[in-house]
Amino acid sequence: MPLEIRPSQALRLWRQVHLDLVRDGEADLSARQVAILLTVYLELPPHTVRGLATQLGVTKPVITRALDTMGKLGLVSRRRDEADRRNVVIQRTVAGALAVERLADLVVDRAREIGGS
Amino acid sequence: MPLEIRPSQALRLWRQVHLDLVRDGEADLSARQVAILLTVYLELPPHTVRGLATQLGVTKPVITRALDTMGKLGLVSRRRDEADRRNVVIQRTVAGALAVERLADLVVDRAREIGGS
DNA sequence: GGATAATGATACGGACCCGTAACGATCGGG
DNA sequence: CCCGATCGTTACGGGTCCGTATCATTATCC
């Protein structure tokens, strides 16, 4: 059950959602931060710094810094793994879940408005 | 002829495309830069700094700086409007058109892979 | 127990971006 | 003409991010 979408529709959808994100003053997340956020909220836990770095193909400091920023924004939180205290487990937050939900609704709504061609 | 998509599909699509963008090392454009790029390539010319600032709901320096960066990347170019030399017209480039096309294909391909539910 | 490995965080120099404010260039009306 | 309005750019101080290299902490293996 593939999702059918034409290139011109894809571009209009992409543009409109980004316009909404910019205009709503939503925290201007970079592509990396979006990838991290959605990975944490869509993939099965546990999530570690190392694991995210591997999945994104970036270095660990990139993840650490992104988590710093997103932590300040309340989108994720960190907890030491008591089983192996070297690890840090990235956890979801209520605010983060709401932000993800808003994004989903935004995409769905804008997709609905995208007419044919 | 609306585009039907469920929230969970929207999120998976959004995540997968952002993962691709990060992994491909494509210039890590901010949401604002994406909005500018797609506006220039989808909407009818001419495009001015002021016009883009109004559409995005941001200040003019934001546009100027984004154009500086995207100009270095070759995604857009600037030309003085000879009719009214106060204006600057933002123009498309071959590299920019290719980047937009790649993005469209990326979204289309990933959408096709998004199964039901 | 001591050496080795692995994890996440930090330091550093450099680049980019933000918003506000000021600026030079250009146009247009009186 | 000249003065005000409009255009895009630049200056400023502050913040974030980058990649590389290094760090402290913790686990593992002999």
Side-chain angles (χ1 to χ4, degrees):
Chain A
M1 186 182 187
L3 188 58
E4 297 291 352
I5 181 170
R6 280 184 288 275
S8 66
Q9 292 177 318
L11 289 176
R12 277 190 287 156
L13 175 62
W14 215 253
R15 172 175 113 94
Q16 198 56 59
V17 172
H18 278 87
L19 273 179
D20 288 342
L21 291 174
V22 170
R23 285 201 273 241
D24 294 359
E26 294 276 344
D28 193 8
L29 299 181
S30 69
R32 291 172 168 190
Q33 290 170 327
V34 172
I36 293 173
L37 184 69
L38 291 182
T39 296
V40 169
Y41 280 84
L42 296 182
E43 297 295 307
L44 281 177
H47 298 285
T48 65
V49 172
R50 177 125 195 116
L52 289 172
T54 301
Q55 280 193 65
L56 300 208
V58 298
T59 59
K60 288 188 293 178
V62 168
I63 305 295
T64 293
R65 278 185 299 251
L67 292 179
D68 288 343
T69 303
M70 294 164 68
K72 282 180 195 167
L73 296 173
L75 299 176
V76 296
S77 74
R78 277 185 274 203
R79 189 174 52 77
R80 206 95 224 174
D81 178 3
E82 291 303 329
D84 183 341
R85 294 185 50 77
R86 287 174 304 182
N87 289 344
V88 162
V89 179
I90 291 92
Q91 296 182 297
R92 303 168 187 172
T93 65
V94 174
L98 283 177
V100 170
E101 209 173 305
R102 264 199 311 276
L103 173 61
D105 291 342
L106 189 55
V107 175
V108 170
D109 290 346
R110 287 310 191 178
R112 210 190 332 263
E113 298 172 5
I114 300 290
S117 162
Chain B
M1 186 180 188
L3 187 58
E4 297 291 351
I5 182 171
R6 278 184 290 276
S8 66
Q9 293 177 318
L11 289 177
R12 276 189 287 156
L13 174 62
W14 214 253
R15 172 175 114 93
Q16 198 55 59
V17 173
H18 278 87
L19 272 178
D20 287 342
L21 290 174
V22 170
R23 285 201 272 241
D24 295 359
E26 295 276 343
D28 193 8
L29 298 181
S30 68
R32 290 172 169 190
Q33 291 170 327
V34 172
I36 293 172
L37 183 70
L38 291 183
T39 296
V40 168
Y41 280 84
L42 295 182
E43 298 294 306
L44 281 177
H47 298 285
T48 65
V49 172
R50 180 132 197 107
L52 290 172
T54 301
Q55 281 193 65
L56 299 210
V58 297
T59 59
K60 288 187 294 176
V62 167
I63 305 295
T64 293
R65 279 185 297 251
L67 292 179
D68 288 343
T69 302
M70 294 164 68
K72 282 181 197 167
L73 297 173
L75 298 176
V76 296
S77 73
R78 277 184 275 204
R79 189 175 51 78
R80 205 98 223 170
D81 178 4
E82 292 302 330
D84 183 343
R85 294 186 50 75
R86 287 174 303 182
N87 289 343
V88 162
V89 179
I90 290 92
Q91 296 182 297
R92 303 168 187 173
T93 65
V94 174
L98 284 176
V100 170
E101 210 172 305
R102 264 199 311 275
L103 174 61
D105 290 342
L106 189 55
V107 174
V108 170
D109 289 346
R110 287 310 191 178
R112 209 190 332 262
E113 298 173 5
I114 300 292
S117 162

